């Protein structure tokens, strides 16, 4: 328990450090918000109007430290500021909607990829030397080495455009209202299928290979040999004895992957026009929308920290050595 | 996942209701609900003209004003007072009548909040008063070019906006307005839909029940949807558009590239020798193969500019014969360019490079923006042309912020740049060669980045802003064209195209090649309003429009042979 509390303290410290970095990085990036505004208006705004807009956006020329204090104070109130590119919408409102779809799309994809990949990896390790074991890993490595963008475009073009089997854009059909119900749910699943498939295809190989090599090492361990000698069923040996310890490195990796769910689906969202927050981040950076950028980074940071904390908890449950 | 996929398989065509047009005027990854009409790029299409409406619409192709919420205008008090007659019988979408009070209130609002005054016109007004059906805009000094900006500002209802605490930050999620589409039927980050105004003042219009606007993260997705036929009216950059888009269904599909945007210019910073010499600037211009730039960088979607720099937005002042008579230095003629440079003492050395009279290399840096691929290709072709003249020319690309800051401060030798302005040449040429737009080097200038002022042009501008007489305006404008061609304040490359595509399989009434009644581009504020009330589901009879022709600038095409709408295809 004290171990867990110690980890918690560490995460709080990390959160503070990342909040500070989050504040500093956009301010040290080249360019400035004023010229980004100019870019958006391209000479259509008179100078006086531009000045007034800047004031409305809350651009201040205060010293960095003062900006930092007011940033922390606002965060404490849960106020992420006003987005410049979506003025006057508050950042929290802009992010909230995208966050939901991103969590759905890449959360499910990462889970599927991890579960399916680990399972396949376990089977391959158990049937090592079989035809399947010889054929599958190279294919998966090959898929994983594909540039993501290209693979996604290929899927979109083949299944969406040429064959016309699946929708190629958006999170659900344009004529539907988001609500609980069969029609909406199937529409959302249909729309998530191609982007989800592209994420799974490119990431599954790593899970398979890591599980396979871990399990191969574990299967050679004495306690596994003992379990086999006791005459336990192969499935029981595999899942209760071997996989439980072989999966530990994968769980750590899964924690990292979960954390990157929020940022990692950027490309999928661009290719499939999926209304998530990956593309928001891209736009925020392009428009030098500091508040939005900070908000998106903040949600990513917190997600990574939270995921790692959950992994710690899971490791405690899986690995008795840690509980000592 | 596989099982889910099987469950999801089977075709799901986008569902189209007969009266709903799918429009793609701009691209954005996601929509945020904001129908505040005063912020030009923050507002959701079609807020400033579609949800809200202007008093008059400047018709770019016909070069005249179309009466809208006002039925007419006139100038009084030595052209200081602009009097607008407000249309009777117009109602806001909540059923309350619109009147002169709403007009004066809107302008007071812009005066109080400079952030809303994006055209800077409210600050030029001494007062806005109404009496009867008329509203009088009294300018502090006579400023006839202000008509365009006063005419086209959106009019908001006083009874709603007077209780808004901060109109700059007001997102106006449920607009009350006079336009054809005011009812937000649905608003989601990936798509929104506006239903028709139940109290619209043009009887029987709009013909459509609603317009639907989807969000697209990238141009590829948008092009794909347009090509597939999922979009009825779009503004998408599609390469090889004839083959990729129109050829799929030539009977229903069409597109246009009307050359009515500002002209893309090559700016030379004119304060330092040898670029302070108009003849040297003209020599650079003669070395540029614009036909090649248009073909390669712009895919043939526009045409080479001439020395006046006027796009079709200024058709009524554009007389090619005049420009040719003055000596058009935008033709491609490297030999003439070489002769001009020789005359100025910038001669070819034995190394094949040109040297300035003091013996140093004639070196020029050309600035452009990273990632604006059409501009970068154009700039590359410009440097090739200059190199062929023996000038040592280098292309330098910068991030937008760095590029724009250099441009504004005058910290450049050559730079690509846009040009802007209203329909009066006072605004267009005024931003190129008036001393009032001149800022000291090092200070950020909004316009006139090249730092050029012509005393002769200043005198013409002073007269031009005071005259509301079209014949006099024509005379002064011709003079301004002459000054521009003689002094070469900027080197015009090509007019910017306004692009649009339509698919009339489900919706008809688009401006076509045969009847281009307005520019096809669905983002051209406020002209597209004319199309918005005209579009109808295929097969529905067209109801006649109620608007007459307003007096004012002549409707006949100017004497220019270029006046035909050659942009429309």
């Amino acid at each position: 328990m004290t171990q867990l509390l110690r980890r918690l303290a560490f995460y709080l410290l990390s959160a503070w450090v990342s909040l500070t970095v989050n504040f500093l990085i956009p301010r040290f990036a080249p360019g400035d918000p004023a010229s980004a505004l100019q870019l958006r208006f391209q000479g259509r705004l008179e100078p006086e109007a531009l000045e007034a807009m800047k004031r409305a956006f809350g651009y201040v020329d205060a010293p960095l430290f003062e900006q930092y204090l007011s940033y922390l104070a606002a965060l404490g109130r849960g106020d992420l500021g006003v987005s410049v590119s979506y003025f006057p919408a508050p950042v929290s409102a802009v992010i909230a909607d995208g966050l939901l779809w991103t969590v759905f799309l890449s959360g499910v994809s990462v889970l599927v990829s991890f579960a399916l990949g680990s399972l396949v990896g376990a089977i391959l390790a158990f049937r090592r030397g079989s035809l399947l074991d010889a054929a599958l890993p190279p294919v998966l490595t090959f898929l994983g080495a594909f540039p993501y963008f290209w693979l996604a475009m290929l899927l979109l073009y083949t299944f969406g455009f040429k064959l016309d089997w699946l929708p190629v854009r958006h999170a659900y059909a344009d004529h539907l209202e988001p609500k609980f119900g069969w029609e909406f749910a199937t529409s959302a699943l249909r729309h998530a299928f191609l982007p989800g498939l592209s994420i799974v295809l490119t990431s599954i190989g790593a899970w398979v290979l890591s599980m396979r090599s871990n399990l191969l090492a574990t299967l050679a361990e004495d306690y596994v040999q003992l379990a086999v000698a006791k005459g336990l069923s192969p499935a029981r040996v595999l899942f209760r004895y071997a996989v439980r310890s072989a999966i530990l490195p994968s769980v750590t990796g899964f924690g990292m992957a979960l954390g990157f769910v929020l940022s990692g689906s950027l490309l999928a969202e661009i290719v499939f026009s999926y209304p998530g927050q990956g593309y928001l981040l891209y736009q925020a950076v392009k428009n030098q929308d500091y508040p939005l950028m900070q908000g998106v980074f903040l949600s990513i940071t917190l997600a990574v920290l939270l995921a790692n904390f959950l992994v710690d908890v899971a490791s405690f449950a899986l690995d008795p050595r840690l509980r000592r | 996942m596989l099982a889910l996929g099987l469950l999801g398989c089977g075709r799901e065509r986008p569902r189209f209701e007969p009266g709903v047009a799918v429009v793609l005027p701009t691209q954005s990854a996601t929509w945020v609900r904001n129908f505040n009409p005063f912020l030009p790029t923050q507002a959701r299409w079609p807020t400033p003209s579609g949800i809200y409406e202007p008093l008059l619409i400047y018709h770019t192709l016909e070069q005249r004003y179309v009466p809208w919420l006002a039925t007419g205008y006139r100038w009084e008090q030595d052209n200081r007072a602009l009097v607008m007659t407000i249309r009777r019988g117009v109602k806001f979408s909540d059923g309350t009548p619109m009147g002169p009070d709403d007009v004066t209130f809107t302008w007071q609002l812009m005066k109080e909040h400079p952030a809303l005054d994006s055209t800077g016109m409210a600050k030029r007004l001494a007062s806005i008063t109404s009496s009867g059906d008329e509203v009088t805009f009294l300018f502090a000094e006579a400023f006839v070019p202000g008509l365009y900006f006063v005419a086209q500002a959106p009019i908001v209802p006083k009874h709603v906006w007077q209780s808004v605490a901060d109109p700059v930050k007001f997102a106006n999620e449920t607009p009350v307005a006079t336009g054809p589409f005011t009812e937000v039927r649905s608003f989601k980050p990936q798509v929104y839909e506006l239903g028709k105004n139940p109290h619209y003042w043009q009887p029987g219009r709009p013909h459509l029940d609603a317009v639907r606007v989807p969000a697209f993260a990238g141009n590829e997705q948008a092009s794909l949807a347009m090509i597939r036929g999922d979009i009825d009216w779009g503004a998408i950059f599609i390469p090889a558009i004839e083959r990729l888009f129109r050829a799929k269904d030539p009977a229903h599909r069409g597109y246009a590239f009307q050359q009515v945007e500002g002209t893309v210019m090559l700016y030379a910073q004119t304060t330092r020798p040898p670029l302070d010499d108009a003849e040297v600037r003209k020599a650079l211009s003669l070395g540029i193969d614009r036909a090649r730039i248009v073909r390669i960088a712009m895919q043939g979607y526009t045409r080479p500019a001439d020395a006046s720099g006027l796009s079709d937005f200024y058709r009524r002042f554009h007389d090619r014969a005049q420009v040719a008579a003055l000596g058009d230095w935008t033709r491609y003629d490297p030999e003439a360019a070489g002769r001009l440079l020789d005359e100025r003492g910038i001669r070819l050395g034995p190394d094949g490079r040109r040297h300035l009279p003091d013996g140093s290399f004639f070196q020029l840096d050309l600035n452009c923006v990273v990632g604006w691929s059409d501009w970068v290709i154009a700039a590359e072709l410009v440097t090739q042309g200059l190199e062929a003249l023996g000038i040592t020319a280098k292309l330098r690309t910068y991030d937008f912020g760095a590029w724009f800051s250099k441009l504004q401060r005058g910290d450049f030798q050559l730079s690509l740049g846009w040009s802007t302005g209203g329909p009066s040449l006072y605004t267009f040429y005024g931003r190129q060669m008036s001393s009032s737009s001149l800022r000291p080097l090092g200070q950020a200038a909004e316009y006139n980045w090249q730092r050029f002022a012509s005393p002769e042009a200043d005198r013409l501008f002073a007269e031009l802003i005071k005259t509301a007489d079209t014949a006099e305006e024509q005379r002064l404008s011709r003079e301004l064209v002459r000054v521009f061609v003689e002094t070469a304040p900027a080197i015009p490359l090509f007019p910017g195209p306004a692009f649009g595509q339509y698919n009339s399989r489900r919706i008809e009434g688009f401006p076509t090649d045969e009847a281009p009644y307005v520019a096809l581009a669905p983002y051209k504020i406020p002209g597209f309003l004319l199309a918005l009330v005209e579009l109808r589901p295929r097969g529905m009879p067209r109801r006649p429009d109620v608007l007459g022709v307003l007096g004012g600038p002549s409707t006949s095409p100017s004497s220019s042979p270029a006046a035909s709408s050659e942009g429309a295809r």
Side-chain angles (χ1 to χ4, degrees):
Chain A
M1 205 56 215
T2 48
Q3 270 285 359
L4 213 53
L5 283 177
R6 206 178 293 166
R7 300 299 297 162
L8 195 61
F10 168 76
Y11 283 121
L12 286 178
L13 185 74
S14 319
W16 173 73
V17 171
S18 47
L19 287 186
T20 308
V21 172
N22 187 7
F23 167 82
L24 288 175
I25 283 181
R27 281 165 177 79
F28 288 127
D32 66 303
S35 69
L37 260 185
Q38 285 282 9
L39 171 62
R40 297 178 57 74
F41 290 102
Q42 281 208 5
R44 272 175 295 166
L45 208 57
E46 288 291 309
E48 286 83 358
L50 195 71
E51 274 308 309
M53 288 302 296
K54 278 199 247 174
R55 278 198 301 280
F57 287 146
Y59 288 148
V60 278
D61 289 330
L64 211 57
F65 189 65
E66 271 176 45
Q67 290 185 40
Y68 180 58
L69 287 185
S70 54
Y71 162 76
L72 284 186
L75 271 187
R77 294 192 304 271
D79 172 10
L80 296 176
V82 174
S83 162
V84 174
S85 36
Y86 294 104
F87 183 82
V91 169
S92 43
V94 179
I95 290 181
D97 228 75
L99 199 61
L100 199 75
W101 286 109
T102 299
V103 167
F104 167 68
L105 172 65
S106 31
V108 171
S109 310
V110 168
L111 266 176
V112 167
S113 175
F114 171 72
L116 201 67
S118 299
L119 185 71
V120 171
I123 293 171
L124 288 186
F126 202 64
R127 300 216 181 282
R128 60 192 171 280
S130 67
L131 192 65
L132 193 67
D133 185 36
L136 208 51
V139 170
L140 291 175
T141 316
F142 182 64
L143 273 182
F146 264 44
Y148 173 80
F149 214 79
W150 194 83
L151 185 74
M153 291 281 213
L154 190 72
L155 286 178
L156 183 146
Y157 185 72
T158 316
F159 296 104
F161 191 67
K162 278 283 160 193
L163 298 174
D164 204 8
W165 285 354
L166 287 160
V168 296
R169 62 171 168 272
H170 290 168
Y172 47 90
D174 283 352
H175 62 273
L176 294 177
E177 286 299 316
K179 60 174 185 295
F180 289 104
W182 180 248
E183 198 191 4
F184 181 74
T186 50
S187 179
L189 282 177
R190 255 189 200 142
H191 281 76
F193 188 75
L194 276 185
L197 183 66
S198 66
I199 297 177
V200 169
L201 277 184
T202 44
S203 61
I204 194 168
W207 300 122
V208 173
L209 295 180
S210 119
M211 188 63 194
R212 181 179 170 277
S213 57
N214 289 332
L215 196 57
L216 280 179
T218 317
L219 284 175
E221 295 273 343
D222 292 345
Y223 71 92
V224 179
Q225 298 297 329
L226 178 68
V228 175
K230 279 199 290 187
L232 296 175
S233 75
R236 194 171 161 87
V237 171
L238 185 62
F239 292 107
R240 293 296 294 270
Y241 287 74
V243 166
R244 184 167 167 188
S245 78
I247 207 169
L248 278 173
S250 286
V251 167
T252 312
F254 180 60
M256 294 298 289
L258 263 192
F260 289 119
V261 155
L262 293 191
S263 55
S265 53
L266 185 135
L267 290 177
E269 287 171 10
I270 293 180
V271 174
F272 293 97
S273 261
Y274 204 81
Q277 84 160 5
Y279 194 74
L280 270 187
L281 175 63
Y282 174 64
Q283 277 209 320
V285 171
K286 245 176 59 179
N287 293 325
Q288 278 163 350
D289 186 346
Y290 286 179
L292 185 58
M293 230 189 295
Q294 284 174 353
V296 175
F297 280 142
L298 184 73
S299 65
I300 293 174
T301 314
L302 293 184
V304 172
L305 290 175
L306 184 73
N308 276 288
F309 183 67
L310 291 179
V311 165
D312 276 354
V313 175
S315 302
F316 271 97
L318 283 169
D319 189 348
R321 287 170 301 181
L322 288 176
R323 273 173 271 167
R324 256 187 255 128
Chain B
M1 203 72 194
L2 218 60
L4 288 181
L6 293 176
L7 167 130
C9 264
R11 289 166 196 227
E12 185 191 67
R13 301 289 331 176
R15 187 185 295 173
F16 298 114
E17 293 93 80
V20 179
V22 181
V23 187
L24 189 69
T26 54
Q27 283 173 38
S28 170
T30 170
W31 302 122
V32 170
R33 192 161 176 162
N34 179 351
F35 293 104
N36 185 326
F38 292 109
L39 313 171
T41 64
Q42 312 277 350
R44 290 285 73 80
W45 182 93
T47 312
S49 38
I51 294 179
Y52 293 92
E53 289 179 314
L55 294 174
L56 313 169
I57 293 174
Y58 185 71
H59 197 302
T60 321
L61 300 184
E62 294 176 5
Q63 309 268 293
R64 66 178 174 97
Y65 286 93
V66 176
W68 211 255
L69 291 184
T71 54
Y73 72 89
R74 62 177 189 276
W75 288 96
E76 287 181 351
Q77 302 178 32
D78 295 332
N79 297 334
R80 269 187 69 209
L82 171 63
V83 183
M84 290 270 185
T85 311
I86 308 303
R87 187 181 294 278
R88 286 186 183 175
V90 177
K91 280 182 178 164
F92 286 107
S93 49
D94 61 355
T96 52
M98 191 274 313
D101 267 4
D102 297 296
V103 179
T104 51
F105 171 79
T106 301
W107 278 90
Q108 291 297 350
L109 202 66
M110 286 197 261
K111 262 184 104 65
E112 282 162 35
H113 301 275
L116 304 183
D117 183 21
S118 60
T119 60
M121 222 30 61
K123 72 169 191 284
R124 284 182 181 267
L125 291 171
S127 72
I128 308 107
T129 50
S130 69
S131 92
D133 285 343
E134 293 185 336
V135 174
T136 302
F137 298 85
L138 186 67
F139 284 85
E141 288 169 55
F143 190 64
V144 177
L147 167 65
Y148 177 70
F149 303 100
V150 171
Q152 304 207 126
I155 301 303
V156 299
K158 183 181 179 185
H159 68 279
V160 176
W161 285 71
Q162 65 187 352
S163 52
V164 172
D166 183 354
V168 180
K169 289 190 176 175
F170 180 45
N172 192 24
E173 296 195 350
T174 311
V176 173
T178 60
F181 296 97
T182 52
E183 309 303 296
V184 185
R185 295 219 295 205
S186 127
F187 200 100
K188 292 166 284 190
Q190 66 178 24
V191 64
Y192 65 87
E193 198 173 298
L194 297 172
K196 68 173 172 191
N197 177 355
H199 298 281
Y200 196 52
W201 54 274
Q202 296 185 30
R205 293 180 169 221
H207 303 83
L208 295 172
D209 293 330
V211 287
R212 180 183 292 163
V213 189
F216 288 97
N219 200 50
E220 294 80 9
Q221 267 280 355
S223 311
L224 206 60
M226 194 77 221
I227 292 168
R228 258 169 65 122
D230 296 345
I231 297 173
D232 300 310
W233 190 17
I236 304 157
F237 183 86
I238 303 178
I241 190 164
E242 183 65 40
R243 180 168 60 85
L244 290 180
F245 172 69
R246 191 178 206 166
K248 300 241 188 291
D249 185 2
H252 295 107
R253 295 182 177 195
Y255 59 89
F257 293 95
Q258 276 112 352
Q259 282 119 36
V260 294
E261 302 282 8
T263 296
V264 173
M265 303 274 194
L266 175 67
Y267 287 107
Q269 208 268 47
T270 60
T271 63
R272 276 187 286 266
L275 294 181
D276 60 340
D277 183 343
E279 296 309 308
V280 173
R281 296 197 294 273
K282 289 177 190 173
L284 300 188
S285 174
L286 286 165
I288 298 170
D289 187 352
R290 289 174 177 74
R292 195 150 165 262
I293 291 179
V294 163
R295 197 174 66 242
I296 298 174
M298 299 304 294
Q299 306 230 357
Y301 294 166
T302 180
R303 60 160 200 259
D306 70 13
S308 68
L310 297 178
S311 73
D312 287 349
F313 188 69
Y314 300 100
R315 232 176 53 203
R316 66 199 171 106
F317 306 120
H318 193 187
D319 179 359
R320 294 207 167 188
Q322 182 201 6
V323 179
L326 289 165
D328 188 349
W329 36 264
T330 53
R331 66 181 193 278
Y332 179 50
D333 191 347
E335 278 166 33
R339 279 197 304 275
L340 260 180
L341 289 173
D342 288 343
E343 278 170 26
R344 297 286 141 167
I346 305 174
R347 291 175 202 283
L348 280 174
D351 53 358
R353 316 303 316 165
R354 288 201 181 261
H355 295 261
L356 296 176
D358 66 4
S360 61
F361 279 115
F362 187 17
Q363 276 181 325
L364 291 172
D365 283 350
L366 168 56
N367 295 0
C368 192
V369 188
V370 161
W372 290 16
S373 49
D374 48 347
W375 278 29
V376 172
I377 298 169
E380 184 65 48
L381 294 172
V382 168
T383 53
Q384 282 178 18
L386 299 183
E387 280 284 338
L389 294 180
I391 300 166
T392 311
K394 276 206 187 63
L395 173 62
R396 309 243 179 228
T397 54
Y398 298 92
D399 275 339
F400 176 83
W403 168 80
F404 195 53
S405 151
K406 281 177 179 293
L407 187 69
Q408 285 193 304
R409 286 185 284 111
D411 179 15
F412 66 96
Q413 289 179 295
L414 294 175
S415 181
L416 248 58
W418 60 75
S419 59
T420 55
S424 164
L425 285 189
Y426 167 77
T427 40
F428 181 69
Y429 282 149
R431 293 170 183 186
Q432 301 290 344
M433 55 180 184
S434 72
S435 48
S436 62
S437 63
L438 204 57
R439 299 283 174 276
L441 275 182
Q443 189 182 318
E446 291 305 313
Y447 318 107
N448 200 344
W449 302 306
Q450 65 268 42
R451 266 64 181 180
F452 186 88
S454 152
E456 191 183 2
D458 279 343
R459 282 192 297 278
L460 294 165
F461 288 137
E463 286 183 64
L464 187 57
I465 60 172
K466 288 192 198 119
T467 182
D469 176 69
T470 40
E472 178 69 358
E473 188 191 16
Q474 278 290 347
R475 184 186 70 78
L476 292 166
S477 299
R478 279 182 79 86
E479 287 293 290
L480 281 170
V481 171
R482 178 182 57 76
V483 174
F484 188 88
V485 175
E486 281 171 5
T487 57
I491 302 169
L493 294 180
F494 51 84
F499 46 95
Q501 307 88 30
Y502 67 85
N503 183 344
S504 62
R505 189 165 273 283
R506 306 185 317 102
I507 306 289
E508 58 183 346
F510 291 102
T512 57
D513 298 357
E514 296 77 36
Y517 61 87
V518 69
L520 180 63
Y523 56 87
K524 283 303 278 181
I525 288 175
F528 69 81
L529 194 45
L530 292 165
L532 217 48
V533 294
E534 197 68 37
L535 297 185
R536 57 194 186 277
R538 181 156 278 283
M540 182 194 250
R542 175 183 180 275
R543 301 198 186 90
D545 80 75
V546 296
L547 304 169
V549 175
L550 187 69
S554 126
T555 61
S556 62
S558 72
S559 48
S560 149
S564 67
S565 58
E566 60 182 20
R569 263 180 278 174

